[in-house]
Amino acid sequence: MALILAALGGVGVGAVPPPAEVPPVEKSLQAPHESAILRLKSLVEAAEKALEAEDSDTASNCAEEAEVLIADWSPEVLRRADISKLIERLRDVLKQTEADSEEADEGLQITEEEVSLSEGELKAERDQVLAAEQGAVFDFPIDLNDKVLTWVNIFTGRIKNKIEASLSRGSRYLPLIRQIFAEEGIPQDLAFLPIVESGYINYARSPAKAVGMWQFMPATGRIFGLTGNAWMEERRDPAKATRAAARYLRNLYRDSGDWYLALAGYNNGPGRVESAAQALQSRNFWDMARSRWMRDATKSYVPQMCAAVLVGRFPERYGLHVAQEAPFVFETVEVDRMTSLAVLARHAGTGIDALKDLNPELLRATTPPGHYTLRVPPGTASTVAHALAKIPAAERVDFKAYVIRKGDTLAKVAARFEMSPGDLLAANGITKAKFRPGRKIQVPPPSVLPPVEAKFKAEEEKPKVLSDQPLEPLPVIPGSTTETNGAIKAPQTPPVEAPEKAAPAPVPHPKDVPVAVAKSEAIRPKVHLVKRGETLFSIGERYGLELKDLRKWNRIKGNKLQAGQRLRLQKP
């Protein structure tokens, strides 16, 4: 059992050799496609224009998207004259948005004032931690230095009630998170990151417009396959957002070679971390934390995460009382057209609150137009499916009626009901030509969130989506930890590799846990009409299809789709 030496003179907690010791996978030296360079240029220019207009939100979103775009470009490519000039302009944008993000990014994150402990208090805290963690094995590196000990003290003292509430909510999702992290090949101890981010609240929304348990910004969420529109916000979905977070963290570690730097990049953007590393000529997080090149919130972020792992693994040993909630499990039912959750619950005898709870991505208490995979409580899939088949099409929605008046335009009416024009037409199954005065249309309930896609116009080029495997059906709940000689041993994860080499190990399925219903060819539609914003990945996940099959059946070489395109969903 290895000992991790504290970077600031403390002692290390017992751990397996950390994945950070494995050299990061070497990046490709090939130049990016010309379209990617043009995309980078357009993002930098858009960010600069937004700064001139004092629109820091748009500037930050564009800069964030640009950072993710260049994340896997090799150093040789980044040093090219044309690209290096764009990188310098991007850094200038990041510096100018720094002050705004310092204030706004705090959101739901822990912002307690860090008070220095005396030498005696630090010694007492260290002794308590060592006693609590004796024999434990961690798959995430823990530096037991003064900063980490201070946050352990805060978590178990001043904000003890807040941490207890967070861990109680998290008990519902931790098995699911650990399973996904095991499949994606990243440390399962990172499952405690939401303690620092959101307190395991799916509906969390920060002032900086980060949403969900993992606090994804709009641009990053879309890049990692999370859809956001008038009907749903996948950043609020615990399963889909956790998968996206795992892949984002894995990519950050692959590029930085260090889990502390990966976390700093998750908090403040990888570009800012790289700028600090170049300025200091050091890739040690603690060197950055002692410098002026890293903002205060990020300096505290990594020590908070270390403290969250220590306390989260053994809360009872720190005097915390955690209420265990029932795990997040469900079955799925295929809904072929837009259906109100209230109507479905009434016909199926299922509580609407249960449907909303299992489908937090739905914004309007209704499924989106077209096909949708709806989660239902375990043991109710057959009942709901039969009820769904009996509901007449005309009674599927309980929307309010609105008569189009003289002078109404499609854009004006859509804006009044916080929808895009296309979504309003889709909700009524009509074309723009049929949107005329005197016509009665149906208007869905208002969104529970303010629209977040307004700044990203439909005609803008969509960001690239990383070529990872599509999301897999969930959930499958594994055992979390095993007891050995009085010490809990965490599951060990393999070193992180590049996405194309990652081969997730199969996780055993407990017999008593309902598993998501597979989507057979018999109940799957033959053709899917591609809507704006959809990708091969999201469509594959929706219908439970492999990406290679979709490409083969439709003779598609890359990932690009066009709205209105007909996509074959079954083998020719």
Side-chain angles (χ1 to χ4, degrees):
M1 185 165 56
L3 289 179
I4 302 173
L5 298 180
L8 297 182
V11 296
V13 175
V16 296
E21 294 179 1
V22 180
V25 177
E26 200 165 320
K27 300 176 184 175
S28 168
L29 299 184
Q30 294 180 351
H33 192 272
E34 190 64 28
S35 62
I37 299 175
L38 291 175
R39 179 62 181 161
L40 173 62
K41 183 179 179 182
S42 67
L43 286 169
V44 172
E45 290 174 348
E48 291 171 339
K49 288 180 181 178
L51 282 177
E52 291 176 5
E54 297 184 355
D55 184 356
S56 59
D57 286 345
T58 299
S60 181
N61 286 331
C62 292
E64 179 189 11
E65 191 173 320
E67 281 188 282
V68 180
L69 176 67
I70 65 174
D72 56 356
W73 294 7
S74 69
E76 287 78 2
V77 169
L78 295 176
R79 282 195 289 266
R80 272 177 37 179
D82 57 336
I83 297 178
S84 64
K85 290 179 181 178
L86 291 173
I87 301 298
E88 284 301 318
R89 290 166 61 185
L90 176 61
R91 284 178 180 158
D92 289 339
V93 170
L94 291 171
K95 288 177 183 178
Q96 292 183 58
T97 58
E98 185 81 25
D100 291 335
S101 64
E102 178 84 40
E103 179 179 352
D105 281 352
E106 289 179 358
L108 292 168
Q109 294 175 1
I110 296 171
T111 56
E112 291 293 311
E113 183 181 354
E114 184 178 342
V115 179
S116 298
L117 302 180
S118 67
E119 187 174 340
E121 289 172 327
L122 287 171
K123 183 180 183 306
E125 203 65 51
R126 183 180 290 109
D127 291 342
Q128 180 190 16
V129 171
L130 292 176
E133 313 299 331
Q134 56 182 336
V137 178
F138 296 83
D139 59 6
F140 175 79
I142 305 289
D143 286 356
L144 203 57
N145 55 44
D146 293 359
K147 293 286 185 183
V148 175
L149 291 171
T150 299
W151 281 105
V152 171
N153 179 272
I154 294 173
F155 283 7
T156 58
R158 200 160 68 212
I159 60 171
K160 176 181 176 181
N161 292 341
K162 185 175 183 178
I163 301 301
E164 286 177 335
S166 178
L167 285 170
S168 295
R169 284 189 297 268
S171 65
R172 188 185 187 201
Y173 303 106
L174 279 170
L176 177 68
I177 296 172
R178 289 192 178 108
Q179 173 221 323
I180 293 174
F181 281 13
E183 291 173 356
E184 296 294 339
I186 69 172
Q188 295 185 38
D189 284 335
L190 287 172
F192 295 106
L193 185 58
I195 292 178
V196 182
E197 282 288 349
S198 65
Y200 294 97
I201 300 174
N202 293 317
Y203 302 95
R205 183 179 178 85
S206 79
K209 298 182 178 61
V211 166
M213 181 191 301
W214 297 96
Q215 289 290 278
F216 269 106
M217 295 293 286
T220 311
R222 289 183 300 154
I223 287 168
F224 283 87
L226 300 178
T227 298
N229 54 39
W231 306 99
M232 61 184 183
E233 177 53 83
E234 290 184 337
R235 291 180 292 166
R236 304 193 332 168
D237 185 280
K240 296 175 184 176
T242 296
R243 181 80 66 180
R247 291 175 178 175
Y248 186 29
L249 287 165
R250 187 177 67 189
N251 285 4
L252 289 169
Y253 170 73
R254 179 199 63 192
D255 294 337
S256 67
D258 181 274
W259 277 116
Y260 287 1
L261 297 185
L263 285 178
Y266 189 93
N267 174 253
N268 196 32
R272 293 182 177 96
V273 175
E274 286 302 316
S275 295
Q278 291 181 22
L280 292 171
Q281 291 298 298
S282 171
R283 301 194 65 78
N284 183 295
F285 170 79
W286 302 110
D287 288 342
M288 297 181 188
R290 287 189 290 263
S291 76
R292 63 183 178 87
W293 297 102
M294 184 172 282
R295 67 190 185 112
D296 291 342
T298 309
K299 292 177 182 179
S300 299
Y301 190 79
V302 170
Q304 286 176 8
M305 179 56 195
C306 291
V309 173
L310 293 171
V311 175
R313 284 282 298 277
F314 309 109
E316 69 286 347
R317 300 184 189 179
Y318 290 91
L320 272 62
H321 302 286
V322 177
Q324 295 296 318
E325 296 188 8
F328 185 76
V329 291
F330 53 82
E331 293 177 342
T332 61
V333 171
E334 304 305 318
V335 182
D336 60 350
R337 63 173 63 89
M338 185 166 53
T339 304
S340 168
L341 297 187
V343 172
L344 181 57
R346 188 166 62 247
H347 283 77
T350 303
I352 186 173
D353 289 340
L355 294 179
K356 288 181 178 179
D357 179 62
L358 290 173
N359 300 274
E361 69 179 12
L362 296 179
L363 299 178
R364 296 176 181 269
T366 179
T367 64
H371 184 277
Y372 181 74
T373 300
L374 181 73
R375 294 178 184 147
V376 297
T380 67
S382 177
T383 303
V384 173
H386 281 92
L388 192 63
K390 294 179 181 178
I391 304 175
E395 299 177 15
R396 285 249 184 143
V397 294
D398 55 356
F399 297 167
K400 293 181 179 179
Y402 176 82
V403 178
I404 304 173
R405 305 165 192 163
K406 186 177 181 180
D408 277 346
T409 65
L410 176 59
K412 193 184 298 183
V413 175
R416 184 181 307 164
F417 296 108
E418 296 184 358
M419 302 181 68
S420 71
D423 287 330
L424 185 59
L425 293 175
N428 290 273
I430 61 174
T431 62
K432 187 175 181 180
K434 294 181 179 180
F435 188 89
R436 295 192 295 262
R439 186 184 187 97
K440 182 185 290 186
I441 60 173
Q442 299 295 320
V443 178
S447 171
V448 296
L449 281 181
V452 296
E453 295 297 318
K455 295 180 183 298
F456 303 99
K457 298 179 182 178
E459 61 270 17
E460 287 182 342
E461 179 187 346
K462 295 295 179 184
K464 72 168 185 174
V465 178
L466 302 186
S467 55
D468 273 328
Q469 52 192 308
L471 300 180
E472 300 158 0
L474 290 168
V476 179
I477 309 300
S480 54
T481 54
T482 55
E483 191 86 18
T484 308
N485 297 328
I488 297 181
K489 184 174 182 179
Q492 299 182 20
T493 55
V496 174
E497 296 188 9
E500 60 272 18
K501 293 187 179 181
V507 180
H509 301 175
K511 295 180 181 178
D512 59 338
V513 175
V515 180
V517 179
K519 307 170 185 66
S520 68
E521 193 167 309
I523 62 173
R524 186 193 312 137
K526 292 183 179 180
V527 174
H528 175 80
L529 191 65
V530 178
K531 301 179 184 65
R532 189 182 70 227
E534 287 187 320
T535 66
L536 271 181
F537 303 96
S538 64
I539 294 171
E541 188 274 333
R542 169 177 290 182
Y543 297 110
L545 294 171
E546 294 287 341
L547 205 57
K548 62 181 180 181
D549 290 335
L550 282 174
R551 288 197 181 107
K552 182 178 179 181
W553 298 344
N554 293 276
R555 298 182 180 179
I556 298 175
K557 290 186 178 180
N559 299 321
K560 195 169 183 180
L561 295 177
Q562 293 182 343
Q565 180 177 346
R566 295 172 66 84
L567 199 67
R568 186 186 292 274
L569 301 177
Q570 296 185 10
K571 186 176 181 180

